[in-house]
Amino acid sequence: MKHFFKLPDPMAVMPFTLRCLSFFGLRGRHPWHFRVGMFLVLGLITVPKVVFGYRSRIDLIIRGVSELLFDALIDSRVIIFAFKRTEFERLITILRREFNKVNTLNSNSPLIKIVETSNRKIDKYCKRYVLYVMLAVSLFFWPPVAQSVTIWYHHQHDSNGTNLELVTIMEQEFYWLDIRGNTIHYIIYIVFALPSHHYSAAFFTLSGLIMYSSIKSITTLFEVVSTRLATLHEFSNDELHQELAELVKMHIDSLSCHWIQMPVDVRRKLAFMMRMAQKRKGLTAANFYFVDVQQFANIAQRSYSIFIVLKDVI
């Protein structure tokens, strides 16, 4: 367990999340892993629920439809990500480039500590989340199986001739099999349900890992930018321009997006934001004097210059 929670390279970009994506075929050279998983989930959970329906009781219908909607949400997230992987890979490239730049600094640099602390936290919480989902899916899957074994055992020793009613994992039918009244059919159902439900849980876990890792990594990148901005006064004139240009590029990379490919309503809002950003904004004192960010910076710079002169004179 210690090796599981150990992070080999604290400067790496979400290594655990990327390994999970590679294992399930959403990265790397084995996309068939993902195809097999989707086939199992859709073919053994979604299709039977949609095509073969549910039993006639209203509570069972509500339960079955709720399970179907939840499963459809999980599947849709993963499928959308599978078609949008290039955006995620672009994010990984940006993060790796910027983290590698930070890694070239002195080992005592606060930027390295920021990245290492954030990456350790990301890695720790992602692994805990995986363990939690593994426990949850086990508690979801195996109790109905154990209950069915108990029911079957009592039915074998029951002399009253009551009908056998085994317990399924979810409220569903399984094609043309009698999975509640026939033991052989139930075993076949469980054999196929085991990988399909665990794949569904894995897809649910992956969506959480991707969102958490991406948000935290981007937040770390912004924190690096903020920290570097706070140290601009330590650079000389030439170094200052170079550092500022690099920070601007890093900030643009952090915020950049292919907005032209987004939905129409999103493009309209972004266009409105860009138009508003081109207008000069500032504060006025009873319409006496207009001050914007640029003028405030100029005033601050002149005030600091005057302070330096007066300090030398005094």
Side-chain angles (χ1 to χ4, degrees):
M1 188 61 71
K2 284 185 178 180
H3 294 289
F4 177 74
F5 282 104
K6 185 178 180 181
L7 179 61
D9 183 8
M11 293 299 293
V13 177
M14 44 181 123
F16 181 72
T17 300
L18 297 184
R19 285 203 306 271
C20 291
L21 290 173
S22 298
F23 181 80
F24 287 101
L26 287 168
R27 288 188 90 238
R29 303 177 180 178
H30 303 288
W32 62 270
H33 289 183
F34 173 68
R35 294 167 189 164
V36 169
M38 286 307 303
F39 173 78
L40 289 173
V41 172
L42 295 176
L44 303 178
I45 297 178
T46 307
V47 172
K49 278 180 167 291
V50 173
V51 176
F52 294 91
Y54 313 99
R55 289 177 286 180
S56 57
R57 283 171 45 188
I58 185 64
D59 58 328
L60 298 178
I61 295 174
I62 294 174
R63 176 191 168 189
V65 172
S66 301
E67 292 170 346
L68 176 62
L69 293 176
F70 182 71
D71 187 66
L73 175 63
I74 296 173
D75 298 343
S76 61
R77 282 181 174 182
V78 179
I79 292 173
I80 291 172
F81 175 79
F83 283 101
K84 294 289 185 179
R85 277 179 292 179
T86 53
E87 300 297 322
F88 180 75
E89 294 297 335
R90 184 170 177 271
L91 171 63
I92 297 299
T93 301
I94 293 173
L95 291 171
R96 280 176 174 166
R97 182 176 67 238
E98 302 306 331
F99 286 4
N100 287 337
K101 291 179 183 177
V102 173
N103 200 26
T104 60
L105 302 176
N106 187 287
S107 58
N108 295 324
S109 171
L111 299 180
I112 290 183
K113 293 181 180 179
I114 289 172
V115 175
E116 288 184 347
T117 302
S118 176
N119 284 348
R120 285 194 176 97
K121 186 179 294 185
I122 292 171
D123 190 72
K124 179 178 68 175
Y125 282 108
C126 285
K127 290 174 179 176
R128 287 182 177 179
Y129 181 65
V130 168
L131 292 177
Y132 164 75
V133 175
M134 289 173 59
L135 176 62
V137 72
S138 298
L139 294 176
F140 174 79
F141 186 88
W142 292 110
V145 177
Q147 185 179 0
S148 295
V149 172
T150 304
I151 292 172
W152 174 83
Y153 177 80
H154 287 294
H155 182 268
Q156 293 298 108
H157 297 80
D158 186 11
S159 58
N160 296 327
T162 56
N163 293 329
L164 180 65
E165 185 73 19
L166 301 175
V167 182
T168 57
I169 310 302
M170 302 177 76
E171 178 54 37
Q172 68 173 94
E173 302 298 329
F174 195 68
Y175 293 95
W176 297 274
L177 300 182
D178 181 15
I179 57 177
R180 294 180 179 85
N182 187 298
T183 306
I184 301 300
H185 291 183
Y186 183 80
I187 293 174
I188 295 173
Y189 159 71
I190 290 298
V191 168
F192 284 103
L194 179 63
S196 61
H197 283 282
H198 282 75
Y199 257 109
S200 181
F203 291 154
F204 174 79
T205 308
L206 287 176
S207 63
L209 293 181
I210 293 166
M211 287 188 290
Y212 177 76
S213 300
S214 300
I215 292 172
K216 287 294 293 182
S217 297
I218 294 172
T219 303
T220 303
L221 185 57
F222 280 121
E223 190 174 355
V224 169
V225 173
S226 176
T227 304
R228 292 178 67 173
L229 281 172
T231 60
L232 282 177
H233 64 279
E234 300 176 0
F235 293 88
S236 62
N237 192 32
D238 294 337
E239 293 175 338
L240 177 62
H241 285 85
Q242 182 179 355
E243 178 73 5
L244 191 58
E246 189 173 337
L247 284 174
V248 170
K249 185 178 184 304
M250 184 188 299
H251 194 70
I252 291 174
D253 285 341
S254 304
L255 294 174
S256 61
C257 60
H258 296 292
W259 66 275
I260 198 67
Q261 301 174 3
M262 293 183 177
V264 176
D265 58 333
V266 177
R267 295 204 302 266
R268 287 174 181 168
K269 293 175 182 177
L270 287 173
F272 175 76
M273 291 171 59
M274 287 187 283
R275 285 198 303 269
M276 295 300 295
Q278 293 172 0
K279 295 182 179 180
R280 193 180 180 194
K281 300 293 181 181
L283 301 174
T284 60
N287 292 325
F288 178 72
Y289 189 74
F290 182 86
V291 179
D292 59 5
V293 175
Q294 183 177 359
Q295 286 183 322
F296 175 77
N298 293 335
I299 293 172
Q301 185 178 6
R302 290 171 186 170
S303 301
Y304 183 73
S305 301
I306 294 172
F307 168 74
I308 294 297
V309 173
L310 292 177
K311 180 181 177 182
D312 292 339
V313 172
I314 296 174

